[in-house]
Structures are given as structure tokens and as C-alpha cells.
Amino acid sequence: MASITGSFTSLSCSLMPNQAVNRVSKLGSVSLSISGKSFPSLRVQPARFRVSCAAKPETVDKVCKIVRKQLALPDESEVAGHSKFASLGADSLDTVEIVMGLEEEFGISVEEESAQNIATVQDAADLIEKLIENKGA
Amino acid sequence: MKLQCLGKQLFNSSANLPRIQLSSPMEAHLWYIIPSEVQSQSLLNQYAEILSPCEKEIVFEMRDEELRKRALLARALVRTTIARYQINSHVSPRSLKFIKNVHGKPEVDWQHCEQWRPLPLHFNISHTSSLIACGVTVDSPIGIDVEKKNRRLKHNVMSFAQRYFSKHEVQVLSAISDPQLQLQEFIKLWTLKEAYVKALGRGFSDAPFKTFTIRIRSATKGSFAGNSNFEASEIVVDSFDDSMDLTSDWKFVLMDLAGSHYAAICTKKDSSIQGIQITPTKLTVWKTIPFVHDECVSGTAAVVIISG
């Protein structure tokens, strides 16, 4: 099954250890780099046009708090929207636990496929807001 | 389970990595490094030297010193390990190139070798804060995972299992009354499931944990559940969507590594061998500090096979 990446550079350059997942980009961006092959049965997210795609700062802050707690990070260590879980020292078990923490905090349910595709704090915050929005709809 | 120890090998030369042979698809090699044993800054600099510019960028963008060191050691371990199996002297740890397959799994890019046919080597890496491991096979996909034995979960084990594991696995875990044992079995199952998904190499969304069951079952009568000391046991995976995976193609090894970690290795069975008889993986394990010291630890207390 092919995957969508946000930028070509992330395909060739991000070589985090223990990472076997291709990160899915945010909704709306659809650049496909799959070594020149075409995949007719590709699953593509419908483009959603929103004025702002980024989650609210409060959501990002809450995610940072949960991440800090899960990874037992010292107060002075930097955790922000752009922070990658892997760069913070999270392994796959940590990531899943973080998602569980987020589900509890926000009262949402994250599908396993989405959970495994979260790479940064921002990804998590965006996903949470999308799920909250869908819940309310 | 066949184990073969090649004896201690001590090498002080930084220019050489002792060449290792790996010829059979039924063999798997595991190399591991303990980060706390690498303290020399000059050695770390040597490791940084063999990384690609891209890898260096990723490593050095990490703020935390320990994480940076871990990332550096992981890349150095992968590069030096793969280089050991190359008979062609043009291949050095630094010259290796890596790409990701269409699903994001890192692989060696052999396209730059025009004059000779390289060994079809597969690798997979896993790390914890206190141990980094790299598994290697020839002609078979491989997935590995290591976890600390005494790892604590922030959540209750059973609620975690109910959320992410299959029904059968939840049943097996809930039957264990001792919380310590239950946690241990959970961690073992986790490493096996991770290793399987990583061996498949198609990304987690293709094989969510809930869609397959891993079970450790005894191959001989007289063994009973919960006792992991039975002589012969095998680990099998059943998928609810068997159409894609042909789950009988995969085999596992689960071990207690260095007294501190559980490690699981998943490889594909040799398709030329038919029949129900399980051919055990011949596993050899080395503890290494690349360029400094390699020690074969198979058959020692550092490697205790639990199953497979």
C-alpha cells in the first residue's frame, strides 16, 4: 500500500532508528513520491479547505504536557509543536501510551492507523482537533 | 534451537571490521551495543565520521546529549554491521547508502555497486535507552524489537492490552494473576508484535496490532502454559486477514538479552522448504563496540532463548 508524504526530502533524509513508518502529511497536501510508479487503488484523503490547518495553541500545550509526563522529561527540555516524538526519545510503546493519554485527556478515540502515523506534537494536536470536530458534527 | 559460538574476537584496529559470513536464509545474526559502555569522545567522533551528511544533520539537531549519542550509535551500528558482510573491499561503513522502500522501511541501496553482485542483505534496528540492536539476514525480510524487561507502563496493562491487542492475547494476559508476570508477558508479546510488523515492512497501518494474534505454543506434550521453561515451543502468528500475509511464512525467536532486555526477531521461512516441520533459525549474537571490541555471546548467559 503506498503512502503520501508531505515532502520528498523527508522521504530520503529522515532515518530515525526504529522507524518503519512513512509519515502521513497533513490534510490537503497531496504530493506523491513513489519512485515513479502509479497506484490506481491509492487511498487519498479528500482535500479539506480550512482557513487554518494548525491546531489551537492550548491543544498543543496540552499535548506537550502529556508528552513530557510520558517521557519523564526534565522541565528545561524543549517540547513544542515541531518536536518529533522520536527526537524526544519516544519509542513505539511510548507513542502508543501518549496516544492513550491523549484519548483520555480529550475524550476521543484514535484509530490505530492514525496513531502510528503521528510524528510530531503538532501532528497529534491537529489530529485531536479533527477528531473533536468530527465528534461534534 | 541451534546456537554456535565463534569465540571471542578482539580487535583494536580502527581501520578493520572483521569480516563475517552469512550465507543461509535460515540464519540470523544479531549485533548489539550498550550505549553506557561507549564513553570515549574520540570514538564517538570516529562514528560520526562514517555517517552520511543527512544522518549527521538528524543526529546533531537533537538537543539532548544522551539522545544524540543514542542516535549516533544506532547509525554507526547499522553501517558497521552491514559493512562486515561485504567481501568487496570497496564497501566501507561510510560508503553505504540507504533508501526507504515504498512503505518507509529503511533498506540498503545497492544500486551504486556496478561491478559486482552484493549479498542480498536485510537488516532491521531497534533501540532502548540502554541497548541498541541490529539484526541481519540474507534473502529474508527481518524485523526486530528490543524492550527493557523492567519497563513500566504509565497505563494499566490490561487496559492497554484491551485497547491494542487481539482478543486471544487479552485472554492469555488476563489469565496471569501475578502483576509482575503479567507485565513481563505483555512486554514479550509487544516485542513479538513489533518485530512482526517491522518484518512485514509495510507500515503499521497495514497490520494494526489488533488484527493479528501471536501465540507461544508448546510443540511437545506435557508442557503447560505460563511456564516458559519448556523444551520446545514455537511462536506463531495468526492474522484475521490472512489473504495478504500468509502468516505461516513467518518465524520468531524470543530471547532474554544481556539479562536486561527482551528481544524478538521475526524472519521469513525459506519457501523452498515444504512441510509442517519447523526449521529453527540458527541465531548468532554478538555484543559489539564497533572498531574496538566484538564478542560472540551466543551460548552464554547473555542470550537466553525463551522460545523459537
Side-chain angles (χ1 to χ4, degrees):
Chain A
M1 202 53 197
S3 317
I4 306 167
T5 56
S7 68
F8 185 72
T9 48
S10 74
L11 182 66
S12 58
C13 282
S14 60
L15 286 167
M16 301 312 300
N18 207 26
Q19 184 180 350
V21 180
N22 210 357
R23 302 302 183 193
V24 177
S25 70
K26 299 190 180 104
L27 295 174
S29 70
V30 282
S31 67
L32 298 165
S33 347
I34 338 175
S35 320
K37 293 190 182 152
S38 67
F39 290 82
S41 59
L42 193 63
R43 236 181 330 152
V44 178
Q45 294 274 14
R48 280 171 151 239
F49 297 98
R50 295 161 68 179
V51 174
S52 155
C53 282
K56 296 196 282 286
E58 305 92 75
T59 310
V60 175
D61 284 342
K62 275 190 185 171
V63 175
C64 287
K65 204 173 117 207
I66 289 169
V67 169
R68 273 186 195 285
K69 194 170 146 210
Q70 174 65 35
L71 304 179
L73 298 173
D75 290 330
E76 56 276 10
S77 68
E78 187 196 331
V79 182
H82 60 81
S83 303
K84 291 184 204 151
F85 287 168
S87 304
L88 294 170
D91 61 16
S92 49
L93 194 45
D94 286 315
T95 306
V96 172
E97 284 225 88
I98 287 169
V99 169
M100 277 183 86
L102 297 174
E103 288 181 326
E104 284 156 13
E105 172 76 23
F106 293 97
I108 48 170
S109 181
V110 180
E111 263 167 66
E112 199 176 334
E113 296 81 13
S114 314
Q116 303 282 10
N117 283 327
I118 295 171
T120 64
V121 169
Q122 191 70 49
D123 289 344
D126 293 346
L127 178 62
I128 288 162
E129 293 213 339
K130 177 187 146 210
L131 289 170
I132 292 173
E133 195 186 295
N134 287 348
K135 219 175 111 176
Chain B
M1 210 17 247
K2 291 192 176 161
L3 298 171
Q4 187 181 332
C5 185
L6 301 173
K8 268 194 184 188
Q9 292 167 315
L10 293 164
F11 295 91
N12 288 315
S13 165
S14 61
N16 291 321
L17 286 169
R19 291 294 182 256
I20 307 282
Q21 240 197 322
L22 180 57
S23 42
S24 156
M26 277 154 34
E27 254 191 281
H29 289 180
L30 187 72
W31 296 79
Y32 72 91
I33 187 169
I34 310 278
S36 60
E37 292 182 359
V38 181
Q39 295 294 344
S40 151
Q41 188 56 52
S42 72
L43 185 57
L44 290 171
N45 293 342
Q46 265 190 282
Y47 293 152
E49 284 294 301
I50 64 172
L51 264 52
S52 71
C54 213
E55 289 169 339
K56 267 187 256 203
E57 207 181 294
I58 293 169
V59 164
F60 292 106
E61 84 177 356
M62 293 186 172
R63 307 281 172 90
D64 182 85
E65 200 184 313
E66 269 308 305
L67 292 180
R68 197 164 53 230
K69 180 178 163 185
R70 225 191 288 171
L72 173 59
L73 291 178
R75 294 317 304 163
L77 179 65
V78 171
R79 284 180 171 274
T80 53
T81 300
I82 293 170
R84 293 171 194 275
Y85 296 90
Q86 308 313 316
I87 31 174
N88 189 305
S89 54
H90 288 132
V91 179
S92 69
R94 191 198 260 158
S95 70
L96 289 166
K97 298 216 187 297
F98 295 88
I99 46 168
K100 283 187 176 178
N101 77 359
V102 76
H103 305 290
K105 184 176 183 186
E107 288 171 351
V108 185
D109 180 6
W110 297 113
Q111 277 171 34
H112 298 80
C113 316
E114 294 130 357
Q115 294 146 330
W116 48 284
R117 265 186 72 219
L119 205 60
L121 215 63
H122 295 255
F123 75 93
N124 195 235
I125 194 162
S126 176
H127 59 92
T128 66
S129 55
S130 44
L131 189 147
I132 303 170
C134 180
V136 194
T137 46
V138 69
D139 251 344
S140 158
I142 179 172
I144 74 167
D145 191 56
V146 294
E147 293 293 343
K148 274 194 263 207
K149 277 163 67 174
N150 64 0
R151 190 192 178 122
R152 292 269 166 271
L153 288 184
K154 291 285 184 297
H155 293 87
N156 172 266
V157 170
M158 286 318 298
S159 49
F160 193 112
Q162 259 143 21
R163 182 77 181 72
Y164 288 103
F165 283 12
S166 74
K167 270 208 191 114
H168 175 89
E169 289 163 344
V170 170
Q171 267 168 18
V172 168
L173 285 174
S174 58
I176 304 170
S177 48
D178 183 296
Q180 263 295 86
L181 276 178
Q182 194 188 61
L183 178 59
Q184 280 192 345
E185 289 309 305
F186 169 88
I187 296 172
K188 287 179 197 169
L189 260 181
W190 176 273
T191 58
L192 286 164
K193 288 172 87 77
E194 275 278 297
Y196 174 62
V197 172
K198 290 172 79 184
L200 285 176
R202 295 203 301 261
F204 290 104
S205 47
D206 233 62
F209 273 22
K210 249 199 200 305
T211 63
F212 64 93
T213 289
I214 291 198
R215 46 185 113 212
I216 304 172
R217 64 174 192 219
S218 56
T220 54
K221 277 191 180 171
S223 317
F224 48 91
N227 177 359
S228 52
N229 293 326
F230 40 81
E231 275 298 328
S233 65
E234 65 161 324
I235 302 167
V236 292
V237 57
D238 298 316
S239 170
F240 302 138
D241 175 20
D242 204 85
S243 53
M244 294 276 272
D245 297 331
L246 289 174
T247 50
S248 56
D249 280 358
W250 300 94
K251 51 184 181 169
F252 299 81
V253 177
L254 177 69
M255 74 196 95
D256 182 320
L257 189 61
S260 53
H261 288 73
Y262 290 128
I265 301 179
C266 177
T267 54
K268 210 161 191 189
K269 287 181 191 165
D270 192 344
S271 49
S272 62
I273 295 174
Q274 301 297 327
I276 36 171
Q277 190 179 4
I278 317 138
T279 338
T281 309
K282 182 177 163 222
L283 176 69
T284 319
V285 184
W286 283 268
K287 180 169 166 221
T288 178
I289 300 177
F291 301 141
V292 176
H293 181 174
D294 300 327
E295 186 186 339
C296 174
V297 294
S298 299
T300 72
V303 180
V304 178
I305 305 295
I306 298 170
S307 202

